[in-house]
Amino acid sequence: MSTSDIIKKTEDLIDALRATCGNNGLSGDGNEYKIVVQMFLYKFLNDKFGYELKHIQNEEYRSRFNEAAHWESAYTAMTDEEREDVWDYLPADTPKLKPEHLIANLYNRMNEGDFSSVFDNTMVSLGQLNADKFSVKTSGKSSVALLESLTNYVTDPDKRDDFARALINNLTTFNFEDIFHQKYDFFSTVFEYLVSDYNKDSGKYGEYFTPHAVATIMARLLVSPDETIHSAATCDPTAGTGTLVMALAHQIGEANCSIFTQDQSQKSTTMLRLNLILNNLVSSLPNVIQGDSLIDWGHERKDGTFDKMFDYVVSNPPFKEDFSQTVTNAAFKNTDRFFAGIPNVPKGDKQKMEIYLVFIQHILYILKDTGKAAVVVPTGFLTASAKIPLAIRKKLVDKGWLRGVVSMPSNIFANTGTNVSVVFIDKGKKDDKVILIDASKLGTTEKVDKNQRTVLSTADEDKIVNTFRNMEDVDDFSKVVSLDEIKEKKYSFSAGQYFDIKIDYVDITEEEFNRRMTEYKSTLAKQFEESHKLEEEIMKQLASLKFNEDVKGE
């Protein structure tokens, strides 16, 4: 089966799971995403387990699984001791499944009474068996289980058995085994399709879906292809579903970095965990924290400090959101971290609080002295004269940390009309050169539901990346400037303010010159004539006006 066929079947699986939810009154329900994501994950883990059994580093076991008509039957026929021995041979990121956890087992039991209980108990049991490997933590140190009961989301108890049967039937149409070696290149496409319907609620914290093209550009500009990196600590303090940090890990090399994330959205953290599992980054799951990054930062040293910890940081923080409770929390106070200050909470609409300015300061605080970062900001930040954005830009320039800025096309995010730019930071930068790119004219427009979205092609991505890496001046697209030039422009990061103003001169004959001048004079004469007529008419109208004595003032 080709990759395109598997992508199509995977998308069909996702659609079928959504349809099953819809048929049971759960379409658009707040729990629909849990059901779809969990069943997708259960399918993946089941097929992953079978794939690893067929490639196990034990010739006897490998033969038994590959020679059997169905590996599930061979595995079920083993003794408990043999199965535990098999587990010892499996890679560290492989889930453990008992025979009762297999999709095949649930399929064979679908005609049993109270099947919904069998189904739910299987999910919970499988999650508990793998809790040490696949759980994530909240900032309060509680564990969030891998799998949970699902049929209770159907309000009518009489429909729960059929709901569970329908979910299992959805999982039996194909197998993931042929694409496990592809990891990111395959699953980034599938993952975007999976989460697309669950990231439309314009503005909920941590739930914007960063377009794959933007994530790829950020990763490619942070890590050049000729770099050799080992043991890099990468972080996203506003991780969402993990698109940015996943692209960065892929650019560095999944085996060469550890991922640390935090996000206060339960939905986003659920999907982030799935993203890590799909891409063989199970070892980073203990570093996934669900909680408020600003008051309950979950990544710190043994002595409780957390400044200057990360080699790379990527972030698409919430731009405007109500964080009034956060900034009034006693744990939030840290003048070293928030050097530029805290934006005011708007009296009329707390949702307009410019919280991204606080996240930028947090990112600078946790970035190592040699670290690099890429942060998505509203384009207005590049020139804003208000105290806090100006103070942040001044620090980036005065410290020599600013590497470059890329202003993206409008509507690059389908669910927000805010124009965005990406600020690139390099604390270890040795030169005073900065590249400013205006990519606003790139891309093509497509309709996504009722919204217009700009899509960047591979050629567009390459143009941005190559121009940035080569530090090239390109007319009306990019400008390389010095830090002193930025200071002279009042710390503006807008590329357009640095472009050269050019006047195009066209050679014409004397005859052509005279013809054009005659046309200009003729046009002006007509306009002057019309103007005089209008003046005369106005004066006549004014002359006709008379005082009305019948109207008395109060």
Side-chain angles (χ1 to χ4, degrees):
M1 188 181 296
S2 68
T3 300
S4 60
D5 289 336
I6 298 177
I7 289 177
K8 178 63 169 61
K9 286 187 174 295
T10 303
E11 291 177 350
D12 289 345
L13 167 63
I14 296 167
D15 290 342
L17 291 169
R18 288 172 176 155
T20 297
C21 289
N23 292 337
N24 287 272
L26 294 168
S27 181
D29 180 270
N31 297 303
E32 180 189 10
Y33 82 93
K34 293 182 181 179
I35 299 167
V36 174
V37 171
Q38 178 166 313
M39 294 313 298
F40 183 91
L41 176 58
Y42 175 51
K43 167 67 173 172
F44 176 87
L45 294 177
N46 189 94
D47 292 357
K48 173 74 171 176
F49 184 70
Y51 173 85
E52 295 297 349
L53 290 184
K54 293 179 181 179
H55 295 81
I56 196 169
Q57 297 301 306
N58 177 294
E59 186 174 352
E60 178 190 348
Y61 290 146
R62 188 168 63 251
S63 297
R64 288 166 68 176
F65 294 129
N66 282 286
E67 291 173 4
H70 301 285
W71 65 265
E72 295 93 338
S73 299
Y75 181 66
T76 301
M78 285 181 160
T79 65
D80 291 341
E81 290 75 14
E82 286 178 317
R83 282 192 290 271
E84 289 186 9
D85 190 36
V86 164
W87 289 352
D88 290 337
Y89 282 101
L90 298 177
D93 62 353
T94 304
K96 297 176 182 178
L97 277 77
K98 294 181 178 180
E100 60 265 31
H101 297 142
L102 302 178
I103 292 175
N105 177 68
L106 285 179
Y107 183 81
N108 291 332
R109 298 182 65 184
M110 284 200 300
N111 291 326
E112 293 183 11
D114 198 19
F115 179 67
S116 59
S117 295
V118 174
F119 172 89
D120 284 337
N121 291 338
T122 299
M123 297 296 110
V124 173
S125 172
L126 179 56
Q128 291 173 342
L129 180 62
N130 292 276
D132 60 333
K133 190 179 299 182
F134 291 97
S135 292
V136 298
K137 302 289 185 182
T138 66
S139 54
K141 310 303 181 186
S142 299
S143 293
V144 180
L146 176 68
L147 303 173
E148 61 178 89
S149 300
L150 295 179
T151 64
N152 58 299
Y153 294 128
V154 176
T155 56
D156 186 346
D158 292 337
K159 295 183 178 180
R160 290 174 181 171
D161 286 352
D162 287 340
F163 176 61
R165 293 184 185 106
L167 290 176
I168 293 300
N169 274 324
N170 291 155
L171 306 186
T172 60
T173 55
F174 77 104
N175 197 298
F176 277 125
E177 289 186 22
D178 293 337
I179 43 78
F180 282 125
H181 65 285
Q182 297 192 46
K183 297 187 295 183
Y184 179 82
D185 294 325
F186 172 83
F187 284 111
S188 60
T189 302
V190 170
F191 189 77
E192 183 164 1
Y193 185 83
L194 174 64
V195 303
S196 60
D197 278 358
Y198 304 121
N199 290 271
K200 294 178 179 178
D201 39 356
S202 57
K204 291 296 181 72
Y205 172 80
E207 293 176 359
Y208 279 135
F209 181 79
T210 307
H212 179 63
V214 176
T216 300
I217 290 169
M218 291 169 68
R220 291 175 67 187
L221 292 182
L222 285 175
V223 182
S224 62
D226 56 351
E227 284 187 84
T228 301
I229 299 172
H230 298 289
S231 303
T234 63
C235 177
D236 188 342
T238 58
T241 56
T243 305
L244 288 179
V245 75
M246 200 61 56
L248 178 60
H250 182 62
Q251 184 70 16
I252 293 172
E254 288 88 346
N256 299 323
C257 66
S258 297
I259 292 174
F260 297 81
T261 68
Q262 189 156 331
D263 198 296
Q264 72 176 18
S265 166
Q266 182 187 64
K267 178 194 296 185
S268 296
T269 303
T270 297
M271 294 180 178
L272 169 61
R273 173 166 54 183
L274 171 62
N275 211 354
L276 290 171
I277 293 172
L278 294 179
N279 287 282
N280 283 359
L281 287 163
V282 173
S283 60
S284 288
L285 282 174
N287 304 326
V288 174
I289 304 294
Q290 180 188 322
D292 189 331
S293 296
L294 298 177
I295 62 172
D296 219 355
W297 184 237
H299 308 293
E300 57 185 31
R301 302 181 184 91
K302 291 182 179 179
D303 62 2
T305 61
F306 59 84
D307 60 312
K308 301 179 181 180
M309 287 188 64
F310 297 104
D311 299 291
Y312 296 91
V313 179
V314 286
S315 177
N316 176 15
F319 292 168
K320 295 184 178 182
E321 191 71 31
D322 179 8
F323 270 70
S324 55
Q325 292 186 354
T326 294
V327 300
T328 56
N329 190 297
F332 177 74
K333 305 302 180 184
N334 183 323
T335 54
D336 290 337
R337 186 164 46 140
F338 307 119
F339 64 91
I342 310 302
N344 294 325
V345 180
K347 294 181 180 179
D349 186 354
K350 293 181 180 181
Q351 295 293 332
K352 293 182 178 180
M353 182 181 181
E354 294 182 315
I355 194 62
Y356 78 95
L357 296 170
V358 183
F359 278 106
I360 295 174
Q361 296 175 75
H362 175 73
I363 289 165
L364 294 177
Y365 189 76
I366 63 176
L367 192 63
K368 287 182 178 178
D369 287 336
T370 56
K372 298 179 180 180
V375 187
V376 180
V377 299
T379 296
F381 168 79
L382 306 185
T383 56
S385 58
K387 175 185 174 183
I388 298 175
L390 180 58
I392 294 172
R393 297 202 310 272
K394 286 186 68 173
K395 183 160 188 172
L396 291 175
V397 173
D398 294 345
K399 289 283 189 179
W401 295 344
L402 182 65
R403 167 53 67 192
V405 178
V406 178
S407 294
M408 293 293 176
S410 59
N411 299 317
I412 197 76
F413 291 84
N415 55 356
T416 173
T418 304
N419 290 335
V420 303
S421 298
V422 183
V423 176
F424 292 87
I425 300 161
D426 183 354
K427 280 192 175 181
K429 188 165 75 82
K430 303 300 182 183
D431 60 71
D432 74 337
K433 296 299 181 184
V434 175
I435 185 165
L436 306 175
I437 293 178
D438 180 1
S440 61
K441 297 186 177 85
L442 297 184
T444 57
T445 300
E446 66 176 27
K447 192 169 185 179
V448 180
D449 296 322
K450 297 180 180 180
N451 300 315
Q452 296 291 327
R453 182 176 72 169
T454 301
V455 179
L456 295 175
S457 66
T458 301
D460 292 331
E461 294 177 30
D462 289 342
K463 181 177 181 179
I464 294 171
V465 170
N466 293 333
T467 302
F468 194 108
R469 284 178 179 169
N470 296 329
M471 300 291 282
E472 294 178 334
D473 281 338
V474 178
D475 286 349
D476 296 324
F477 181 72
S478 65
K479 185 69 176 178
V480 178
V481 298
S482 68
L483 295 172
D484 285 339
E485 287 178 279
I486 295 177
K487 293 176 184 179
E488 291 172 2
K489 292 282 189 180
K490 298 182 179 179
Y491 295 89
S492 170
F493 290 0
S494 175
Q497 294 192 16
Y498 298 87
F499 288 159
D500 296 328
I501 299 175
K502 296 183 178 181
I503 301 175
D504 292 330
Y505 293 93
V506 179
D507 290 332
I508 59 174
T509 64
E510 182 178 357
E511 180 181 359
E512 176 64 14
F513 174 80
N514 291 333
R515 186 188 66 78
R516 291 188 183 184
M517 291 302 295
T518 299
E519 288 181 356
Y520 295 151
K521 290 178 181 178
S522 176
T523 300
L524 283 172
K526 291 179 181 179
Q527 291 175 341
F528 289 154
E529 183 179 352
E530 290 293 328
S531 176
H532 291 320
K533 290 180 180 179
L534 182 59
E535 290 172 5
E536 292 176 359
E537 183 63 28
I538 292 173
M539 295 303 293
K540 288 180 181 179
Q541 292 292 332
L542 289 173
S544 67
L545 295 177
K546 295 181 179 180
F547 179 71
N548 189 343
E549 295 183 354
D550 295 332
V551 178
K552 304 296 183 181
E554 299 252 344

